[in-house]
Amino acid sequence: MELKKYLKEGIYSFCFGAFPTYELLKNKPTLATEIIVHEKLEESNDIKKILDLARKNRIPIHKNGKLIEKLSGKGNIYIMGVFKKYEMRVDNSKSQVLLVNPSDMGNLGTIIRVMLGFGYENLSIIKPCIDIFDPKVIRASMGSIFGMNIELFDSFDDYQKVNSNAKYPFMLKAKTRLDQVSNKAKPHTLIFGNEASGLDDSYLNVGTPLIIKHSNKIDSLNLSMSVGIALYEFSK
């Protein structure tokens, strides 16, 4: 298979670096098509684990440093995994996060990693949104995406049709502070808007809108930071 730079419309994606590649092989080995290593790669214990997993699952291993540099656009990547994109479904009986029109790849990857850190394995997303399989998302998630269920919806109405969780939109116009919520419903959905515009006012009529209070020295918190704070409070 001739590999070219990542395309949103393509059927393959890449994970660059040892940790994301290990997570791919640990969680989705049947989707991995090959592992590519750089000639300069030093075989540490971590690298040995990756290569042993690849051999165990009969995944081809090739040496091609120039290809890694071409696909990653960087000179400090020495191992990568290639995998087929796949469809997922969230478990609507479980608590989850809902992102409305996320547009930053780094934020999305970080959110995925933080979610797994607090035991949340289901992420719903309202389109339009960024490409969840872009290598930048995968790298920012440190491969955590391979342990996550992610489902995309055309609209919030479509999401509402299949999900009856208690809903908590996070909004600057909300009247209830996050630290005032004592009886947190389960299962629940924590809802966050776009990095630039947040949630529109219609979400003030959804569930229990919440605000994370902070000092007036900043205008707002970063999206991934807000999600992390909310997950910490709701997972107590």
Side-chain angles (χ1 to χ4, degrees):
M1 178 179 64
E2 182 183 357
L3 294 177
K4 298 181 179 180
K5 281 203 170 185
Y6 177 77
L7 292 173
K8 182 177 181 179
E9 300 78 17
I11 62 174
Y12 296 97
S13 186
F14 317 123
C15 46
F16 298 112
F19 203 83
T21 302
Y22 176 74
E23 291 297 308
L24 166 66
L25 296 179
K26 183 178 73 172
N27 292 288
K28 303 285 190 225
T30 59
L31 296 171
T33 60
E34 63 181 300
I35 303 299
I36 303 173
V37 299
H38 200 290
E39 290 81 1
K40 296 179 181 179
L41 180 70
E42 296 181 4
E43 195 164 320
S44 63
N45 287 335
D46 290 339
I47 296 300
K48 187 176 184 302
K49 286 181 183 178
I50 294 172
L51 299 181
D52 286 347
L53 268 177
R55 295 184 184 105
K56 177 183 177 182
N57 290 283
R58 299 182 180 180
I59 300 165
I61 302 170
H62 300 125
K63 284 189 177 182
N64 194 332
K66 288 185 178 179
L67 181 60
I68 293 178
E69 292 172 10
K70 174 184 175 183
L71 296 176
S72 69
K74 297 182 178 181
N76 61 344
I77 305 295
Y78 300 107
I79 187 167
M80 62 173 284
V82 183
F83 67 94
K84 291 181 180 178
K85 297 179 185 179
Y86 53 98
E87 289 190 5
M88 296 171 272
R89 291 288 182 269
V90 295
D91 183 347
N92 284 304
S93 68
K94 302 287 182 65
S95 293
Q96 57 188 261
V97 169
L98 173 66
L99 299 179
V100 180
N101 314 135
S103 60
D104 185 279
M105 294 181 188
N107 270 338
L108 179 57
T110 301
I111 288 168
I112 290 169
R113 188 180 182 195
V114 170
M115 285 180 63
L116 277 189
F118 286 107
Y120 285 69
E121 299 178 354
N122 295 279
L123 171 62
S124 294
I125 299 176
I126 304 299
K127 297 186 288 187
C129 63
I130 51 180
D131 177 12
I132 64 171
F133 284 122
D134 190 289
K136 293 178 182 177
V137 174
I138 294 165
R139 189 162 174 78
S141 81
M142 292 297 287
S144 296
I145 190 172
F146 300 118
M148 181 73 69
N149 301 315
I150 304 176
E151 188 170 352
L152 274 57
F153 295 85
D154 289 325
S155 68
F156 182 64
D157 286 341
D158 286 346
Y159 177 75
Q160 290 267 63
K161 291 175 185 176
V162 298
N163 187 284
S164 59
N165 288 359
K167 310 249 178 348
Y168 295 92
F170 281 76
M171 309 177 66
L172 292 175
K173 290 185 178 181
K175 303 299 183 184
T176 305
R177 299 197 316 263
L178 172 60
D179 61 343
Q180 292 176 325
V181 183
S182 55
N183 298 316
K184 303 176 181 71
K186 290 187 178 181
H188 53 252
T189 295
L190 310 181
I191 308 174
F192 299 86
N194 175 271
E195 290 87 346
S197 57
L199 295 172
D200 65 53
D201 288 354
S202 65
Y203 284 88
L204 288 169
N205 300 313
V206 174
T208 306
L210 299 176
I211 182 171
I212 301 173
K213 279 291 186 179
H214 54 72
S215 76
N216 58 10
K217 294 183 179 181
I218 60 171
D219 59 350
S220 64
L221 295 168
N222 173 274
L223 174 60
S224 58
M225 185 178 296
S226 298
V227 175
I229 292 170
L231 291 175
Y232 172 75
E233 287 293 331
F234 270 81
S235 62
K236 284 182 178 179

